[in-house]
Amino acid sequence: MDRRVFLKDSAALLVLAGLPAGSAAAAARKSGSMPASVLDGRIGKAGEYDVVVCGGGPAGFVAAIAAARQGARVALVERYGFLGGMATMGYVAPISEYAFDGKRVIGGIPWEFVQRLESMGGAFVEWPKGNVDFDIELYKLCAQRMVLEAGVELFMRSSLIGCEMDGSSVCSVIIENKNGLERLVGKRFIDATGDGDLAWIAGVPMQDNPDGELQPSSFCFILSGVDTDSELLRRYMYHNGRKGSSQCTPVREKLLALKEKGLDLPDFGGPWFNSVMHKGSVAVNITRAAADSTDNRNFTSAECRLREDIFKFTDALRRNVPEFRNCYVSSTAPQAGIRESRRILGVHTVTAEEYVAGVRYPDSVSRGAHQIDMHASKGSGQVLIKLQQAAYVPYRALIAPGFPNLLVAGRCISADRKALASLRVQASCMGIGQAAGVAAAQTQAQGRTVQDADIELLTSTLRSLGAII
């Protein structure tokens, strides 16, 4: 075997291996990799698994549960100390959306999660769209319980920094945590990092953005001391689709008018006020800034600007909107929310035209119900495109040609920018994660590559779990 190690930062290879200056160091720097034998004895093996899932967000934790319930031994790597991704580390609410025209189109483990969270007093389903309001802390607890009950081994507070490859097959991932550097050896790998980190490190081709445009990041936060019993909040805090636009139009118009008169306000979206299941508190989605989450310096700068903006908007709301006169920032999300970053160039790329028309593929494994939602990176603009019917996601969008044991799940799947602007929402990501988890377990058990998956078995299993495909 020609096993080689790839890290996010090729310069780190030299430090890790202790290579002296010279031809070996130069060769490692040029290729971005080194022979895996160089690392023998330097990085301990933390475990061997049938399936290793990287990323514990909506796609990742559902993928891990799905694979484990198929009998696979599963490891789940998460860089934070809790699960939930954009829901719990980004405060993105509600969970959107499970239904189209009042009919649920996302089922199985994702819906089981909602029902279980609801039974804990941590969720409220808004029909007919099937948006789900949730308690952030109970979301974390419910996801954790379901993952552990499935027998998944958790590696929390662990950052993915590299992978070991044999040709185009991933052999192990390299993680860093308080135990130091560790390797998780696996037979199948699922990239649910959102940014496609594992796929990128492994060399999977990514989609181009010719104009360099990315949808903006938003730093969400919790405002407390809000009059949630007021007519304004009762009208705009819920997003069932029965009362028109989900953005709070009266506050939007007031803020735009104030900005026109010279009030120093940054660009903003919405605003959207979202229930967190507690009287007097709302999750707020209003801030907006162009940001590249795959560039540390860029994203750090954006988050610093956005944190300042949180308090500018809070002050503006307190001074100009009666329902917010006593409000204060009780919590900011651990991380700014990300709408768009890397997407793989898969066997099939879902286009907006296919998606809006509801094209059903021979290998459809999940669905989408949310309208296409493109946020402008500058200004306060937003483009919405309604679906003609609930959309479908093909299995081929979860895999790349030539990488026999790697799948992706969540917003890094193979889709064009417009299709992604719907697929990125949480319910869709959960459905995709469920499909990826089952496919990973089944292909491993059958000794097949992910490109040669038994689609009939995959889809029949998904239906037996409750998927609506």
Side-chain angles (χ1 to χ4, degrees):
M1 293 196 304
D2 180 25
R3 290 165 41 246
R4 300 189 71 80
V5 170
F6 296 78
L7 297 185
K8 282 185 177 181
D9 176 10
S10 60
L13 291 164
L14 310 182
V15 176
L16 185 61
L19 289 177
S23 59
R29 183 180 286 109
K30 183 177 180 181
S31 67
S33 68
M34 66 170 68
S37 59
V38 174
L39 303 183
D40 290 346
R42 294 177 182 270
I43 303 180
K45 182 170 67 176
E48 295 189 24
Y49 303 90
D50 298 316
V51 179
V52 177
V53 182
C54 296
F61 85 79
V62 171
I65 294 168
R69 289 186 182 179
Q70 293 300 303
R73 187 182 182 203
V74 180
L76 175 58
V77 178
E78 169 53 46
R79 65 173 173 152
Y80 286 97
F82 52 86
L83 303 173
M86 283 294 107
T88 55
M89 73 179 181
Y91 290 4
V92 178
I95 306 173
S96 296
E97 60 194 52
Y98 285 86
F100 186 85
D101 281 349
K103 295 183 179 179
R104 188 163 52 81
V105 296
I106 303 289
I109 296 169
W111 189 244
E112 177 188 338
F113 169 75
V114 171
Q115 291 180 306
R116 189 150 169 189
L117 185 56
E118 193 174 24
S119 73
M120 295 166 64
F124 171 72
V125 183
E126 297 186 37
W127 298 103
K129 284 191 171 185
N131 284 322
V132 181
D133 304 326
F134 61 92
D135 177 302
I136 293 167
E137 299 305 321
L138 287 176
Y139 186 123
K140 295 176 186 177
L141 181 61
C142 186
Q144 173 182 299
R145 284 177 176 173
M146 290 181 66
V147 164
L148 292 176
E149 287 167 6
V152 175
E153 293 190 40
L154 272 174
F155 290 81
M156 298 283 222
R157 302 206 178 275
S158 297
S159 295
L160 172 70
I161 66 166
C163 66
E164 181 185 6
M165 304 284 292
D166 180 10
S168 57
S169 293
V170 182
C171 303
S172 69
V173 294
I174 302 171
I175 61 174
E176 189 274 333
N177 55 40
K178 286 292 186 178
N179 289 21
L181 295 175
E182 298 183 304
R183 287 165 55 236
L184 302 180
V185 176
K187 297 172 183 175
R188 296 291 178 274
F189 295 83
I190 299 174
D191 185 338
T193 61
D195 289 332
D197 287 336
L198 175 57
W200 178 72
I201 295 168
V204 175
M206 297 291 161
Q207 306 231 5
D208 292 327
N209 281 351
D211 56 5
E213 187 86 355
L214 289 172
Q215 290 197 65
S217 285
S218 293
F219 214 152
C220 297
F221 55 101
I222 306 295
L223 281 182
S224 297
V226 177
D227 185 1
T228 51
D229 289 330
S230 65
E231 182 178 350
L232 178 76
L233 270 299
R234 284 189 286 109
R235 161 65 181 82
Y236 287 103
M237 192 170 61
Y238 302 102
H239 309 292
N240 54 31
R242 292 174 176 167
K243 299 178 180 178
S245 173
S246 61
Q247 65 176 272
C248 188
T249 306
V251 173
R252 176 181 176 83
E253 291 175 349
K254 183 169 289 189
L255 292 177
L256 288 173
L258 289 168
K259 194 171 182 179
E260 184 73 20
K261 291 178 180 178
L263 182 64
D264 181 21
L265 280 179
D267 290 340
F268 66 90
W272 295 273
F273 302 118
N274 307 295
S275 169
V276 291
M277 308 285 292
H278 296 284
K279 184 176 179 179
S281 294
V282 292
V284 183
N285 183 342
I286 187 172
T287 65
R288 169 177 290 190
D292 182 356
S293 61
T294 67
D295 184 313
N296 175 268
R297 309 301 185 271
N298 180 287
F299 200 63
T300 296
S301 175
E303 283 196 315
C304 288
R305 295 196 311 273
L306 289 168
R307 191 177 300 278
E308 292 282 359
D309 293 349
I310 286 172
F311 289 88
K312 288 181 180 179
F313 284 117
T314 299
D315 184 64
L317 290 171
R318 188 187 298 119
R319 291 174 181 272
N320 297 284
V321 183
E323 293 82 359
F324 290 84
R325 66 167 59 94
N326 298 314
C327 75
Y328 60 95
V329 177
S330 57
S331 179
T332 58
Q335 177 190 302
I338 303 163
R339 292 185 173 92
E340 181 180 8
S341 58
R342 300 188 192 104
R343 291 160 289 128
I344 69 163
L345 188 59
V347 173
H348 180 85
T349 296
V350 180
T351 67
E353 291 74 20
E354 295 170 349
Y355 194 78
V356 170
V359 171
R360 187 175 182 180
Y361 310 91
D363 58 339
S364 294
V365 290
S366 191
R367 305 292 296 277
H370 196 278
Q371 62 188 337
I372 288 175
D373 181 10
M374 294 285 290
H375 295 250
S377 58
K378 294 181 180 180
S380 299
Q382 182 183 9
V383 175
L384 300 173
I385 303 173
K386 291 185 178 180
L387 305 186
Q388 296 171 15
Q389 56 184 313
Y392 290 86
V393 180
Y395 172 72
R396 288 165 295 155
L398 282 59
I399 56 175
F403 290 82
N405 69 338
L406 176 64
L407 302 101
V408 303
R411 62 178 168 82
C412 54
I413 72 167
S414 186
D416 69 18
R417 290 194 68 221
K418 285 186 177 180
L420 173 72
S422 168
L423 282 170
R424 61 181 170 77
V425 302
Q426 292 177 57
S428 299
C429 287
M430 286 182 176
I432 294 167
Q434 177 171 245
V438 172
Q442 288 185 344
T443 57
Q444 186 279 318
Q446 295 174 328
R448 293 171 175 253
T449 67
V450 297
Q451 289 79 16
D452 190 36
D454 184 336
I455 299 301
E456 185 176 345
L457 176 63
L458 172 59
T459 53
S460 65
T461 302
L462 289 170
R463 288 191 182 95
S464 72
L465 293 175
I468 306 164
I469 53 176

